[in-house]
């Protein structure tokens, strides 16, 4: 069957390639398994509502199953002048005749079909991505606990600032990543309603059961507004924004680790499997994977900006700019964020801190200076005066090539605090207020609770999706039995 009845002509081959691309096995693998899952649910519902005969539904289901078993190979050589779906439907009509193949699209449109496939594809991606992010969260927490006592300097403006621990630093990354997972979880709520049933733009007057198809596809319910269901792609944008947020956190981690792994800092090293050499310089050990992590956030952010720009100022209805062009730009951004998380796992688990070097850098960087000033404050010295005294002593010590502040400054200026020496570990422990490293246990416990919640959310969601797939397979198999003479269960 060619044309639409209203239109008899079709695009030329070159224009078709521009609009629809070249049909490849990769494109088929990405879309048709999801499309046929939607078809199964739709056919079960149509038969249950007596909108099509059980025999027609069964024949379609069996033909679709046969196609899927061949990875849709019979479709590859076929022309697709009006896109993948109509080519696929045309094949079914040719195989089964218009009285059977022609009923598949009853009560729906390519618009709600495409929106539903997009939601399913996003859900599959999100379950995998969130699972990897939660795994990275666990790696960060494990390393944070292992290195909670390993003193190092915190840096501000790339200068040694105050003593912390490497575990405390990693706990901060875990905390930030946990909030991005929370953002993903919030965005995922938009994937709980199913667009199928919205049809072209205003629902349908056929007595379909949208709640039934939603349930069979693993959604919590049908979308309540047909126009919104086909017009909006705000959920993919929010998912991309949240995943880009995770990539940004990891890009900042990667920036620190790259700096700290240089010879000049020497705080971190990586095993040979995680570094690269140089084609010209035999001494090089380049932590190049960190550079990939740093760049992935830019890819994700660029994808969000591009997709949002394509969606802006479009009519609030089904739109090629929104549903096709913008979505095509979103997928590479989601992939970049996913790759960032996967690289983050091996880099965090593979990084090896040098405790001796970290301690030296903390001491040589005068990171206890603020603690020394605060001790003077507790003895009644105004903070600005204490700040000046310690700063002057640091200047003199640097000029003399020393790190002993007690040897500099006014005579006896440290007598009132009892000791000129400040142990690094003791200073770290004393910073127990305001969320400092001395109060490691409380934020660590909160982060573990967050991780536990994230894992439980994913476990429940995976179970719900699996139960829906089983229910759909059972309903479709029961209906398919009509063709072989088996009566469906009452």
């Amino acid at each position: 069957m060619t044309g639409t009845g209203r239109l008899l002509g079709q695009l030329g081959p070159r224009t078709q390639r521009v609009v629809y691309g070249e049909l490849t096995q990769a494109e088929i693998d990405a879309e048709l398994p999801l499309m046929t899952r939607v078809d199964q649910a739709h056919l079960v519902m149509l038969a249950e509502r007596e909108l099509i005969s059980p025999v027609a539904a069964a024949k379609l289901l069996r033909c679709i199953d046969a196609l899927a078993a061949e990875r849709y190979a019979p479709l590859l050589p076929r022309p697709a002048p009006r896109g993948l779906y109509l080519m696929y439907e045309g094949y079914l009509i040719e195989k089964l005749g218009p009285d059977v193949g022609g009923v598949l699209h009853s009560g729906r449109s390519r618009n709600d079909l495409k929106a539903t496939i997009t939601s399913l594809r996003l859900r599959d991606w999100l379950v995998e991505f969130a699972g990897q992010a939660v795994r990275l969260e666990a790696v960060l927490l494990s390393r944070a606990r292992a290195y909670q006592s390993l003193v190092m300097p915190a840096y501000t403006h790339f200068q040694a600032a105050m003593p912390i621990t490497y575990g405390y630093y990693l706990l901060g990354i875990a905390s930030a990543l946990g909030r991005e997972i929370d953002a993903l979880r919030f965005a995922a709520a938009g994937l709980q309603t199913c667009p199928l049933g919205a049809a072209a733009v205003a629902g349908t007057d056929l007595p379909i059961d949208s709640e039934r198809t939603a349930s069979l596809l693993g959604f919590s319910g049908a979308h309540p507004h047909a126009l919104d269901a086909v017009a909006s792609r705000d959920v993919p944008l929010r998912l991309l924004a949240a995943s880009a947020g995770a990539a940004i956190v990891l890009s900042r981690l990667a920036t620190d680790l790259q700096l700290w792994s240089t010879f000049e800092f020497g705080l971190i090293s990586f095993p040979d499997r995680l570094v690269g050499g140089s084609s010209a310089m035999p001494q090089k050990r380049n932590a190049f994977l960190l550079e990939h992590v740093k760049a992935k956030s830019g890819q994700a952010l660029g994808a969000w900006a591009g997709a949002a720009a394509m969606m802006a100022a479009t009519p609030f209805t089904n739109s090629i700019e929104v549903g096709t062009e913008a979505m095509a730009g979103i997928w590479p951004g989601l992939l970049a964020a996913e790759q960032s998380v996967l690289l983050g796992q091996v880099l965090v688990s593979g990084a090896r801190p040098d405790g001796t070097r970290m301690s030296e850098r903390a001491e040589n960087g005068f990171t206890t200076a603020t603690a020394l000033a605060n001790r003077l404050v507790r003895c009644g010295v105004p903070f600005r005066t204490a700040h000046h005294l310690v700063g002057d002593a640091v200047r003199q010590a640097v000029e003399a090539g020393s790190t002993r502040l007690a040897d500099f400054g006014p005579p006896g200026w440290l007598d009132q605090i009892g000791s000129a020496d400040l142990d690094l570990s003791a200073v770290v422990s004393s910073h127990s207020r305001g969320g400092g490293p001395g109060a490691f246990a409380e934020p660590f416990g909160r982060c573990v609770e967050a991780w536990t919640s994230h894992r439980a959310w994913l476990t429940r969601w995976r179970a719900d999706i699996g139960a829906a797939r089983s229910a759909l397979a059972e309903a479709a198999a029961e209906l398919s039995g009509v063709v072989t003479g088996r009566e469906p269960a009452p």
Side-chain angles (χ1 to χ4, degrees):
M1 184 181 297
T2 60
T4 66
R6 175 68 173 86
L7 304 176
L8 301 179
Q10 63 185 38
L11 297 174
R14 184 175 64 180
T15 307
Q16 287 179 28
R17 287 194 295 272
V18 171
V19 174
Y20 299 115
E22 298 279 2
L23 187 61
T24 64
Q25 188 66 51
E27 182 183 356
I28 284 177
D29 289 342
E31 186 158 341
L32 275 180
L34 297 174
M35 185 184 297
T36 54
R37 196 190 313 172
V38 176
D39 286 347
Q40 288 174 334
H42 189 59
L43 287 167
V44 168
M45 181 276 295
L46 290 176
E48 289 176 349
R49 299 292 289 176
E50 299 183 350
L51 290 168
I52 63 174
S53 74
V55 171
K59 288 181 177 179
L60 275 164
L61 286 169
R62 291 172 67 86
C63 188
I64 290 169
D65 284 345
L67 258 181
E70 297 182 76
R71 285 187 65 195
Y72 309 95
L75 302 181
L76 271 173
R78 296 175 64 87
R82 294 167 56 211
L84 179 59
Y85 172 74
L86 289 173
M87 179 269 284
Y88 157 79
E89 184 189 52
Y91 171 85
L92 297 176
I93 291 173
E94 286 183 19
K95 293 286 287 185
L96 302 173
D99 290 343
V100 175
V103 305
L104 174 62
H105 216 44
S106 304
R108 74 179 190 192
S109 163
R110 277 191 295 175
N111 298 351
D112 62 335
L113 173 61
K114 189 170 188 177
T116 303
I117 291 170
T118 296
S119 291
L120 289 173
R121 186 178 174 188
L122 284 168
R123 188 176 71 188
D124 288 347
W125 172 86
L126 178 57
V127 168
E128 175 60 25
F129 175 77
Q132 295 300 338
V134 170
R135 182 175 298 176
L136 174 56
E137 191 180 20
V139 173
L140 285 163
L141 290 172
S142 173
R143 292 299 183 271
R145 180 173 56 188
Y147 297 120
Q148 62 180 298
S149 300
L150 189 62
V151 176
M152 67 171 290
Y155 288 91
T156 61
H157 310 286
F158 297 107
Q159 303 296 320
M162 299 179 75
I164 58 170
T165 69
Y166 183 54
Y168 177 76
Y169 171 84
L170 293 178
L171 181 60
I173 300 294
S175 178
L177 179 63
R179 288 193 300 276
E180 301 302 342
I181 297 173
D182 288 337
L184 279 171
R185 188 172 177 176
F186 175 81
L191 296 176
Q192 292 298 325
T193 55
C194 181
L196 198 64
V201 71
T204 177
D205 57 347
L206 291 173
I208 63 171
D209 185 353
S210 299
E211 294 294 334
R212 174 62 167 156
T213 49
S215 176
L216 289 171
L217 292 171
F219 295 94
S220 61
H223 201 294
H225 196 285
L227 175 58
D228 184 27
V230 299
S232 299
R233 296 296 187 276
D234 56 298
V235 173
L237 269 184
R238 277 198 295 276
L239 289 171
L240 180 54
S243 61
I248 289 171
V249 170
L250 296 180
S251 75
R252 301 181 73 183
L253 166 68
T255 297
D256 286 338
L257 293 181
Q258 187 175 28
L259 184 67
W260 298 346
S261 65
T262 61
F263 177 80
E264 288 75 12
F265 276 74
L267 306 184
I268 295 288
S269 64
F270 292 96
D272 287 351
R273 63 186 174 84
L274 297 180
V275 299
S278 165
S279 64
M281 296 167 284
Q283 84 281 9
K284 296 297 292 296
R285 295 184 84 257
N286 299 324
F288 72 103
L289 294 179
L290 294 167
E291 296 173 53
H292 285 286
V293 175
K294 289 162 64 179
K296 295 299 180 185
S297 61
Q299 294 182 37
L301 287 170
W304 185 93
M310 283 183 269
M311 293 184 189
T314 57
F316 193 76
T317 184
N318 180 70
S319 167
I320 295 294
E321 303 101 300
V322 175
T324 300
E325 295 288 353
M327 283 306 306
I330 281 177
W331 296 113
L334 294 175
L335 176 61
E338 182 177 356
Q339 291 171 339
S340 174
V341 167
L342 293 175
L343 290 175
Q345 291 174 2
V346 297
L347 288 165
V348 171
S349 62
R352 296 292 179 263
D354 185 330
T356 300
R357 181 66 171 166
M358 285 180 166
S359 180
E360 289 175 353
R361 296 294 292 178
E363 182 177 350
N364 295 340
F366 298 98
T367 59
T368 60
T370 301
L372 183 56
N374 287 339
R375 286 193 179 187
L376 291 171
V377 167
R378 286 197 292 271
C379 292
V381 179
F383 176 76
R384 191 53 58 203
T385 301
H387 184 280
H388 181 83
L389 285 170
V390 175
D392 185 60
V394 168
R395 178 183 57 79
Q396 293 180 52
V398 169
E399 291 174 352
S402 172
T403 59
R404 284 184 52 81
L405 296 183
D407 297 339
F408 305 93
W413 72 292
L414 296 179
D415 291 347
Q416 57 187 322
I417 65 173
S419 173
D421 296 323
L422 294 171
D423 179 74
L424 286 169
S425 296
V427 171
V428 169
S429 298
S430 70
H431 281 251
S432 59
R433 299 167 183 82
F440 182 91
E442 181 178 351
F444 181 80
R446 290 180 183 273
C447 285
V448 170
E449 288 177 4
W451 169 73
T452 302
S453 175
H454 297 153
R455 190 178 58 171
W457 160 63
L458 276 174
T459 299
R460 288 193 302 270
W461 202 12
R462 287 191 179 110
D464 290 345
I465 293 170
R469 295 197 71 160
S470 296
L472 174 57
E474 182 179 345
E478 183 179 340
L479 186 54
S480 294
V482 172
V483 171
T484 60
R486 298 196 307 270
E487 290 296 325

